[in-house]
Amino acid sequence: MWLKNLQLQHFRNIPSAQITLSDKGPVVLYGHNGAGKTNLLEALSLLSPGQGIHRAAFNQMKHNKKQDWGLFAELENKHGHQEVGMRFLKGKRQIQVNGQQQGALQSLAQLGAVVWFTPKMDRLFVDAPAARRQFLDRLVFGHFPKH
């Protein structure tokens, strides 16, 4: 899967943002500390099942004293063009895929695999096996959602 467009509203330290990518390929994020680079990556990680890159509670992702946050992404995957809308409202995360309300996170798994490595994971393959198992579970689930 590859990202074509991402829009954020009231997400972490980002009051509003839109990113449009014109082509497939690597993307480099750079900027000053506190500019929102990691928050952007956290928003992308929410396009997969689970709580995202930081495993934070959804109510902690809202900007300042706002009551909600929103994310809209346009993707391309093996099934073609996909649109994903997500918002946190009234204490719940709500997900739509191609305009249809989704009750299960399984619909996110069908979009494609989202995998991340963070600096906290630098000892993934030499420390205790629990973190390795969780990482391998995410890899397998990303490629085989029914597993």
Side-chain angles (χ1 to χ4, degrees), residues 1 42-56 58 61 75 84 86 93 95 97 102-116 134-135 137-147:
M1 122 173 119
E42 183 173 24
L44 290 172
S45 74
L46 293 176
L47 295 174
S48 69
Q51 291 180 283
I53 200 167
H54 291 302
R55 302 183 53 79
F58 297 121
M61 296 178 189
L75 315 164
V84 180
M86 188 179 301
R93 177 168 72 160
I95 302 168
V97 176
Q102 304 295 316
L105 295 177
Q106 183 75 8
S107 59
L108 293 177
Q110 301 296 328
L111 294 173
V114 179
V115 179
W116 54 80
Q134 184 179 23
F135 178 74
D137 284 348
R138 178 165 286 287
L139 280 177
V140 170
F141 187 69
H143 292 284
F144 304 101
K146 293 182 180 180
H147 181 65

Side-chain angles (χ1 to χ4, degrees), residues 1 5 15-16 18 37-38 47 49 53 55 60 73 109-110 115 119 121 124-125 128 137 145 147:
M1 122 173 119
N5 185 22
S16 178
Q18 179 172 351
K37 301 177 300 290
T38 304
L47 295 174
I53 200 167
R55 302 183 53 79
Q60 294 176 346
Q110 301 296 328
V115 179
M121 299 166 73
L124 182 66
F125 297 103
D137 284 348
H147 181 65

Side-chain angles (χ1 to χ4, degrees), residues 13-111:
N13 71 337
I14 304 170
S16 178
Q18 179 172 351
I19 297 170
T20 302
L21 303 173
S22 59
D23 203 1
K24 296 182 206 178
V27 175
V28 176
L29 298 176
Y30 64 94
H32 297 288
N33 288 345
K37 301 177 300 290
T38 304
N39 293 334
L40 178 66
L41 294 176
E42 183 173 24
L44 290 172
S45 74
L46 293 176
L47 295 174
S48 69
Q51 291 180 283
I53 200 167
H54 291 302
R55 302 183 53 79
F58 297 121
N59 67 343
Q60 294 176 346
M61 296 178 189
K62 53 191 173 187
H63 180 69
N64 291 337
K65 297 183 193 279
K66 298 292 184 184
Q67 296 300 308
D68 63 344
W69 56 260
L71 173 155
F72 175 78
E74 291 182 77
L75 315 164
E76 289 289 329
N77 66 10
K78 64 184 179 181
H79 304 295
H81 184 82
Q82 307 290 322
E83 294 182 349
V84 180
M86 188 179 301
R87 68 181 181 168
F88 179 79
L89 184 63
K90 297 181 181 177
K92 290 188 172 187
R93 177 168 72 160
Q94 301 169 0
I95 302 168
Q96 284 190 355
V97 176
N98 297 323
Q100 301 294 314
Q101 190 73 26
Q102 304 295 316
L105 295 177
Q106 183 75 8
S107 59
L108 293 177
Q110 301 296 328
L111 294 173

